Amino acid sequence: MGPVVSSPRVRYRRGVARRELALDLLALALSERERPLALTSILQALDRLTTRRPEDADAHYAAGRVLLLLGRAQLAMGAFRVVTRLRPDYVDAHYYEAVAHSLIGYPDEALEKLYRVTELDPAHADATFDQGQLFLARGDLVAALERFDAADALTPGDFAIARKRLQCLLGLDRFAEAATAREALRAAWEASSDPRVRATKSVVIDQFRVGELKVSAVETLAPTGDPAVLMSFVASDRGRAIFSVNLETSELLRRQGRLAVVAVRDRDTHSTTEHAYREMPGYNILRVAVRSVVRRFSAARRR
């Protein structure tokens, strides 16, 4: 059993600075993030602290962070605004206010706040990355890529940034740069010590439409089995996966002098197509082949 916060009455320690206490309580909250009752207890302690010391920016900041953990973004935003009134240069309060704006559905305000963060701290990689995320959500791939490039310069080799850069480059049909970005993505995955990254076995790198179908291109980071799927293009209709077009390799193919073949899989069938390769095809070549197969296979299903 983990640590327990058994009562909302978190006592103030005599002689402990309020700043230190507020941040200690925040650290405790972060360690208890999966336990709402513990978070509520900590929030009550912070509320008492802000009542006693309304000028304590750290206490208001810690309360805002706990409110976010509890899913109360609107109230969290208010707490962060108090912080920035007390200390206009409090970078993390500006950042988490942007997070709160985004959570309640105000992306323009979130982006404005994020730019305030990077004005105060040009090396704030999270704010720079999140700027890219908001531009990507708007469909502005050029602006998103510029922000992801900036984030990559601040934290080279980050897996999440490498993935977003690749998505933007493929969305812009900048295939030569995307080929290098795909290598960087795999290198970031292989080098990462983050267990969440290491547990990731595949990642969506591109999305496009073929008629009414949405196709998601999924890069396999750790191919297994025989045949092994190197890349999968999942065709969906209204959010439901219908079939996939896969780039597959197998021992039999390699004995035949071929590296990979494009195959179609749905619930009932698995069939190879005429698209076979002796070496790994460029993504631009593969996407053209996949579009053709998706179009043909979806038409056949409608007959």
Side-chain angles (χ1 to χ4, degrees):
M1 181 181 296
V4 176
V5 178
S6 58
S7 165
R9 294 180 297 170
V10 178
R11 298 182 182 277
Y12 301 121
R13 292 170 288 164
R14 183 172 295 177
V16 175
R18 295 298 190 270
R19 170 183 169 85
E20 180 184 328
L21 178 57
L23 297 182
D24 282 350
L25 288 169
L26 174 56
L28 177 60
L30 293 172
S31 71
E32 297 278 3
R33 65 174 68 238
E34 302 300 328
R35 302 180 61 199
L37 289 177
L39 293 176
T40 300
S41 173
I42 294 166
L43 182 61
Q44 289 170 342
L46 288 166
D47 284 343
R48 292 196 298 274
L49 185 56
T50 56
T51 299
R52 292 187 183 190
R53 294 285 299 272
E55 78 287 359
D56 187 341
D58 287 312
H60 290 287
Y61 170 74
R65 293 287 305 276
V66 176
L67 285 164
L68 282 181
L69 292 173
L70 286 166
R72 296 156 69 180
Q74 189 79 50
L75 290 174
M77 186 185 305
F80 296 130
R81 285 176 175 169
V82 172
V83 178
T84 55
R85 283 199 299 269
L86 292 167
R87 284 173 48 189
D89 62 345
Y90 202 126
V91 173
D92 282 348
H94 287 289
Y95 175 72
Y96 283 102
E97 186 181 341
V99 171
H101 274 299
S102 183
L103 287 172
I104 64 176
Y106 292 102
D108 293 343
E109 290 80 356
L111 188 58
E112 181 180 347
K113 266 290 171 184
L114 289 172
Y115 272 106
R116 177 61 177 149
V117 173
T118 52
E119 286 172 8
L120 291 168
D121 180 8
H124 200 295
D126 286 341
T128 306
F129 177 83
D130 289 353
Q131 289 164 0
Q133 290 278 67
L134 288 170
F135 281 122
L136 189 60
R138 288 181 180 179
D140 188 343
L141 299 182
V142 173
L145 179 59
E146 187 276 328
R147 291 288 79 203
F148 292 135
D149 283 345
D152 184 57
L154 293 170
T155 52
D158 181 89
F159 179 77
I161 296 171
R163 179 180 60 186
K164 293 299 179 180
R165 289 191 68 253
L166 177 56
Q167 289 173 352
C168 289
L169 288 165
L170 289 175
L172 292 166
D173 291 348
R174 290 164 58 172
F175 296 115
E177 295 166 86
T180 302
R182 279 180 75 186
E183 294 175 2
L185 175 65
R186 186 169 293 277
W189 177 73
E190 291 173 349
S192 179
S193 58
D194 185 335
R196 293 169 299 180
V197 173
R198 296 301 303 149
T200 302
K201 302 306 180 186
S202 61
V203 61
V204 175
I205 63 170
D206 189 22
Q207 292 183 334
F208 53 90
R209 301 200 73 85
V210 177
E212 296 181 355
L213 298 179
K214 178 181 177 181
V215 181
S216 298
V218 183
E219 178 93 31
T220 306
L221 297 171
T224 58
D226 190 16
V229 176
L230 303 175
M231 184 173 291
S232 182
F233 295 80
V234 181
S236 301
D237 183 16
R238 292 181 286 255
R240 184 171 66 92
I242 306 299
F243 62 90
S244 68
V245 178
N246 300 335
L247 182 67
E248 299 180 353
T249 188
S250 68
E251 180 62 32
L252 176 61
L253 282 172
R254 292 189 290 274
R255 286 203 303 266
Q256 294 172 346
R258 296 181 293 172
L259 174 64
V261 65
V262 172
V264 181
R265 288 182 181 266
D266 64 8
R267 186 174 60 182
D268 302 316
T269 63
H270 173 246
S271 57
T272 59
T273 71
E274 72 277 15
H275 301 282
Y277 307 95
R278 294 185 179 277
E279 57 186 27
M280 185 63 100
Y283 182 80
N284 55 326
I285 295 171
L286 184 58
R287 191 163 71 178
V288 170
V290 168
R291 283 184 182 276
S292 172
V293 173
V294 169
R295 196 174 292 112
R296 198 166 65 234
F297 192 75
S298 60
R301 285 173 58 91
R302 289 194 296 268
R303 293 195 194 109

